[in-house]
Structures are given as structure tokens and as C-alpha cells.
Amino acid sequence: MPTKFQQETLKSRFAQAKVLVVGDVMLDRYWLGDVSRISPEAPVPVAKIEKTEHRAGGAANVARNVAALGGQAVLLSVIGDDEAGDCLNALMAEHGVETVLIRDQNIATTVKLRVVARNQQLIRLDFEDAPTHEVLNGVKNRFRELLAECDVVILSDYGKGGLTHVVSFIEWARQAGKPVLIDPKGDDYAKYTGATMLTPNRAELRQVTGSWKNEADLQEKARALRRNLDLQALLLTRSEEGMTLFRDGEPHHQPTQAREVFDVSGAGDTVIAGMGLAMAAGLDFPEAMQLANAAAGVVVGKLGTAVCSFDELAQSL
């Protein structure tokens, strides 16, 4: 664990670091209750809802993680002109995130509604629309304005259309000398060419490179992907196996730090938020990875899309 002096230094460096988070935001709604019977209408459980919770999801959860760790987070995204959008805006203000949430009159804010009983998810209902072309052009313009005042850019791609202009974002960030970290989605990584780092999980990487037979095969596939996309680094998150950093030289591996895994949802958001903030504070790749891994270990011990505070991080380190 870092000494008190090192903790204070890290804390003050985090406080001065500014991260711009761009991508798909969503509102995670939780309906929590109990199940004691099966419906007479169909063979399904009847959930008696006792309370509801709202949490920020997607890119909004990344920004929330940056702020929880003590960094300055600016969130740029598109929401609908609706109650869910108002709720998300209010949540971000509560978490100390500066928001530039552009309202699109023609869409509904993305909502993931989970019905949970006795810590078991019964069903998830998704409500989503792709943003309109005109509003996305507005995002492009705001990105250029916000870029100058941030240290690192995180692009959080959930495949909902918010990162339609990802190629331009990477190009402008490179021109401005700002590192770009991307949480990727889908099977086309060509659009991420020129990014500083990608942070796929095993399933996401497999979708793009195909399966690997062993560790040597994985290293070769990671090298080829880095070369093809002109990436400085690739951080593979491997669930219970921890994470591996691929860059020039030998891969750098860190085992998982979770004491007891309760819920992995949102852990990828914590990893990229931790990496981005640490890099914005001047840490190198392996140091940033150690920090991100520790933060993720804290988060998977909590239910739902959770965050890690600076104090929890210091304790974990």
C-alpha cells in the first residue's frame, strides 16, 4: 500500500487531471423486490417491487468513475428530451461530473431496466434509439471546443450511435497531442486506427481476432492488431484471470484483485476510467494498469454499476 505521502501526492495529481469522456450514455433503472409466488397467468415469477434505484450507465458510468476517484470529468453525449434524460443529468451533477449532454428531440434516452429479486436479475428491458445526424454534428463541434482543456480523451463505445464520428475524434485528439483510450464495440476495429489504447475484454477481442490456442498465440494476435491499428498499447481485461497489457516488449500481466466477485457489470468502465485518469495524472502504462486493476477489484465486489472512491483505491493498493 502507498505511504501517506504518496497517497496525498497521487490525490492532488488526480484532482488536477481532466478527462473528457465521450460516447453512449444510458440510465440504468433497477426495480428491486421479492418473489414468493409464480403467476397464475403464465409460468413466470411475480416480483413485488419494494424500491427503485437509478444509476448512470455506459459513458456516464465511466465519467462517474473518474469523478469518484477524485479526477475532473467532462461528459459529452446525446440524450433524449425526456424524464430519463433529466434523471441522468441530475445524477451526473450529484456525482460531480461536468456535463455537455445534447438533447435530441427525436429520440428517447437509452434506458436499461432491470428487475431484481434477492440479488438475482429476473429480466432486463432495453429502450434505445440512435441519435439523429444533426445532433451528432453538434457533438462533433463541441468535441473540438472541449478537447483543448482536457488531458486525456476516453471514448466509450456501446454501439448505440453516439460515436458515429469516432475517426474524426481520434484524428483531432492526436493532432492536439492528447492520448485517446477506447472501450471498443463490434467486429470492425478499423475505425479505431490511431488510438493510443484499446481496452477490450476477452469476448470482444475474440470477435475481432478469432480464438487463440494458447498464450503465445494470443500475444501474436495482440501484436498484429496493434500493428494494423497503429496502437501504442492494448489492454485486455480477462475477468477472473486479471488483465494483460500488450505494448512494445514483453506483455505485462496483473492477476485479478477481487476478494469476492459479486457483480462484474460496469467493471470495464472502471478499468478505462482508472487508466485514463492515471495517464492524465502523468503515470505510465504499467502504473496506470496497476491502479485500474485495483479499482476494478473494488467495484466487482459491489452490486450493479458501482464506483471506487479514492480512499477505497488507496486501501486496495
Side-chain angles (χ1 to χ4, degrees), residues 41-313:
E41 303 157 3
V44 294
V46 175
K48 183 174 179 293
I49 303 303
E50 284 148 7
K51 66 171 181 170
T52 60
E53 281 180 17
H54 300 103
R55 294 181 190 177
N61 190 45
V62 176
R64 180 176 161 235
N65 270 276
V66 171
L69 286 166
Q72 299 175 49
V74 183
L75 176 65
L76 171 63
S77 191
V78 179
I79 55 174
D81 194 9
D82 52 16
E83 175 272 334
D86 294 341
C87 186
L88 200 50
N89 223 341
L91 277 174
M92 290 292 92
E94 217 175 277
H95 295 304
V97 174
E98 186 186 324
T99 55
V100 183
L101 295 176
I102 301 172
R103 301 271 187 172
D104 189 335
Q105 308 286 338
N106 298 300
I107 67 163
T109 301
T110 299
V111 173
K112 292 184 179 181
L113 170 60
R114 297 169 177 87
V115 181
V116 180
R118 297 182 191 180
N119 290 338
Q120 290 288 317
Q121 197 177 131
L122 299 183
I123 191 169
R124 192 181 97 183
L125 309 170
D126 289 7
F127 307 84
E128 61 190 54
D129 297 305
T132 56
H133 180 69
E134 296 74 23
V135 171
L136 288 170
N137 278 337
V139 172
K140 255 173 107 170
N141 297 336
R142 290 311 303 270
F143 180 87
R144 297 200 81 153
E145 293 165 14
L146 294 164
L147 186 59
E149 57 191 62
C150 74
D151 302 302
V152 164
V153 176
I154 293 177
L155 302 178
S156 182
D157 196 347
Y158 274 78
K160 312 295 183 199
L163 286 177
T164 299
H165 299 301
V166 66
V167 174
S168 299
F169 294 162
I170 294 169
E171 190 185 326
W172 294 335
R174 276 188 79 149
Q175 286 167 3
K178 314 282 182 171
V180 186
L181 281 64
I182 305 180
D183 192 355
K185 193 77 173 176
D187 56 7
D188 171 25
Y189 279 15
K191 61 191 173 191
Y192 303 133
T193 299
T196 308
M197 172 189 274
L198 297 189
T199 64
N201 60 32
R202 287 177 299 193
E204 288 165 342
L205 186 66
R206 202 175 284 119
Q207 200 178 350
V208 174
T209 65
S211 294
W212 46 89
K213 296 187 283 290
N214 50 40
E215 207 63 23
D217 191 25
L218 167 60
Q219 286 182 32
E220 189 44 54
K221 286 181 185 295
R223 259 196 298 273
L225 188 64
R226 278 189 54 229
R227 199 168 48 240
N228 294 341
L229 300 182
D230 187 23
L231 306 171
Q232 281 186 39
L234 180 77
L235 179 67
L236 176 64
T237 57
R238 308 174 70 166
S239 200
E240 72 286 347
E241 291 174 12
M243 52 183 72
T244 307
L245 177 69
F246 300 95
R247 50 183 185 141
D248 293 342
E250 285 298 303
H252 185 74
H253 184 75
Q254 288 236 313
T256 184
Q257 285 203 4
R259 316 295 179 268
E260 184 185 355
V261 174
F262 199 56
D263 190 343
V264 297
S265 61
D269 296 337
T270 304
V271 169
I272 199 166
M275 282 300 300
L277 179 58
M279 287 169 66
L283 277 66
D284 64 17
F285 283 132
E287 290 170 332
M289 174 189 175
Q290 184 188 355
L291 191 147
N293 191 35
V298 170
V299 161
V300 296
K302 302 178 180 182
L303 179 64
T305 44
V307 292
C308 171
S309 70
F310 182 85
D311 290 344
E312 287 173 322
L313 174 69

